[in-house]
Amino acid sequence: MEVADPTAANRFYTEAFGLDTQIRLRASEEPTTGFRGFTLSLTVSQPSTVKSLVDSALDAGAAPLKPVTKSLWGYGGVVQAPDGAIWKVATSAKKDTGPATRQIDKIVLLLGVEDVAASKRFYVDRGLTVAKSFARKYVEFDTGSSPIKLGLYGRRALAKDAGVSPDGTGSHRLTIGSDVGPFTDPDGFAWEAAPLSDAAPGLASQQLPRHLA
């Protein structure tokens, strides 16, 4: 993730979510305004953990976009980090089964794209395998043992889910490290080659995202 102040951003992500090795931060002053076209989601096991993580993010300086609330699909809330990245914390569970923890089960990167079907073809042509696909609205790729799950969603629908306007210009301020790169997709998301030493165990033989840079 490209940020103006990596030291401050690292402090935020450590205090807010306990993230360290899962994401990388890179200094950047690339112009960017409005919605950057992607969101990151933290999937957890129960509502109390959602609230714990959202509260710690707000305490660390995040701005609220959607308050933590119960819905038909579960429980969740959305915040915007001081660097501008949008984070959703959610669970499919509607009741707690134990004390709140800070355990994150899954990190999901959703790329907002103009044409889901066209972007799906682009990624399949570069070796990614589709795990789930819902018409022309949503695609999830099989990322194996990678700590980052990857999906495609319509840009406007993704912005609506995040509680922001879909309008935005300039850099995404995001680079995806993987052994399928380097390339830039039709919506301007950049992928770069990641050294094998950066991979989590078991990823060397997978053509999968390894980390966010």
Side-chain angles (χ1 to χ4, degrees), residues 29-87:
E29 296 291 346
E30 284 292 318
T32 185
T33 63
F35 183 46
R36 295 183 188 170
F38 73 92
T39 66
L40 288 147
S41 296
L42 303 178
T43 302
V44 300
S45 63
Q46 59 184 2
S48 60
T49 299
V50 171
K51 189 173 188 310
S52 173
L53 290 170
V54 169
D55 285 349
S56 64
L58 296 174
D59 289 344
L65 294 180
K66 281 189 173 183
V68 173
T69 187
K70 184 185 293 185
S71 68
L72 291 175
W73 52 262
Y75 196 81
V78 184
V79 300
Q80 188 166 31
D83 62 80
I86 294 173
W87 292 79

Side-chain angles (χ1 to χ4, degrees), residues 10-23 42 53 56-57 60 102-104 107:
N10 181 67
R11 183 166 54 249
F12 168 79
Y13 286 116
T14 301
E15 294 176 359
F17 304 131
L19 297 176
D20 44 38
T21 60
Q22 298 93 332
I23 60 173
L42 303 178
L53 290 170
S56 64
R102 294 181 63 77
Q103 177 66 40
I104 295 168
I107 303 174

Side-chain angles (χ1 to χ4, degrees), residues 100-173:
T101 71
R102 294 181 63 77
Q103 177 66 40
I104 295 168
D105 298 331
K106 185 166 56 176
I107 303 174
V108 182
L109 169 63
L110 284 180
L111 305 181
V113 300
E114 292 300 327
D115 187 328
V116 174
S119 291
K120 173 184 173 182
R121 289 194 299 271
F122 177 89
Y123 280 108
V124 169
D125 287 346
R126 279 152 185 80
L128 275 72
T129 302
V130 174
K132 298 178 184 177
S133 182
F134 300 97
R136 301 174 66 89
K137 296 183 178 180
Y138 175 78
V139 176
E140 182 178 307
F141 295 102
D142 179 4
T143 53
S145 58
S146 171
I148 309 292
K149 298 296 181 182
L150 176 68
L152 306 176
Y153 203 24
R155 180 185 173 96
R156 288 187 174 276
L158 184 60
K160 181 178 180 180
D161 183 64
V164 298
S165 166
D167 298 331
T169 61
S171 173
H172 293 296
R173 288 201 178 181

